[in-house]
Amino acid sequence: EVQLVESGGGLVQPGGSLRLSCAVSGLRFDDFGIGWIRQAPGKERQGVSEGISCINARDGNTYHADSVKGRFTTSSDIAKAMVYLQMNNLKPEDTAVYYCAACGLVDGRGTPYYYGKDYWGQGTQVTVSS
């Protein structure tokens, strides 16, 4: 029932840009934020991922991790049930599989929490390399 589908990944040079899209179904924006989680190469074995953003589509409250703040922007379109991640000034350390995922912001701010993998998309690969 819950489905999140990412698209837009690819190979870019350092300093380049990409925009990722997440099509959301089976989730109500009134009940869930939607954000982005990334997993760098080699981290799969450790089960370690970095939550980089979360947006409450209804009020626009948004969180971005320090590692991407000022470079990445998360936005949403409720009518289209879409969430986007605009990534600018990409760095090699941004290389990862990017997932959109259900999330929440406590009191509309601060570090978000993320739901389990049943509430993640399939992931899209972003590779930043010269």
Side-chain angles (χ1 to χ4, degrees):
E1 183 177 82
V2 175
Q3 188 170 22
L4 301 93
V5 181
E6 305 95 334
S7 61
L11 174 64
V12 297
Q13 293 182 326
S17 297
L18 283 174
R19 190 174 84 150
L20 306 184
S21 299
C22 175
V24 182
S25 62
L27 294 174
R28 300 198 306 177
F29 287 130
D30 285 340
D31 298 328
F32 297 90
I34 304 294
W36 295 88
I37 297 170
R38 66 184 182 183
Q39 190 167 61
K43 300 294 186 180
E44 297 88 345
R45 297 179 182 179
Q46 305 173 45
V48 176
S49 300
E50 179 188 20
I52 59 171
S53 77
C54 182
I55 184 169
N56 181 322
R58 290 297 184 185
D59 60 22
N61 287 331
T62 307
Y63 160 87
H64 289 95
D66 289 344
S67 58
V68 305
K69 191 175 298 181
R71 299 187 298 119
F72 292 10
T73 302
T74 305
S75 60
S76 63
D77 186 327
I78 295 175
K80 295 181 179 179
M82 297 289 293
V83 177
Y84 306 98
L85 183 67
Q86 178 66 48
M87 304 185 293
N88 298 324
N89 191 25
L90 283 159
K91 303 176 180 179
E93 52 263 44
D94 295 319
T95 295
V97 178
Y98 284 71
Y99 303 86
C100 58
C103 60
L105 292 167
V106 178
D107 294 327
R109 59 182 60 84
T111 303
Y113 58 90
Y114 296 88
Y115 289 81
K117 290 187 176 181
D118 285 345
Y119 294 84
W120 295 22
Q122 83 287 350
T124 186
Q125 176 71 47
V126 173
T127 302
V128 185
S129 177
S130 60

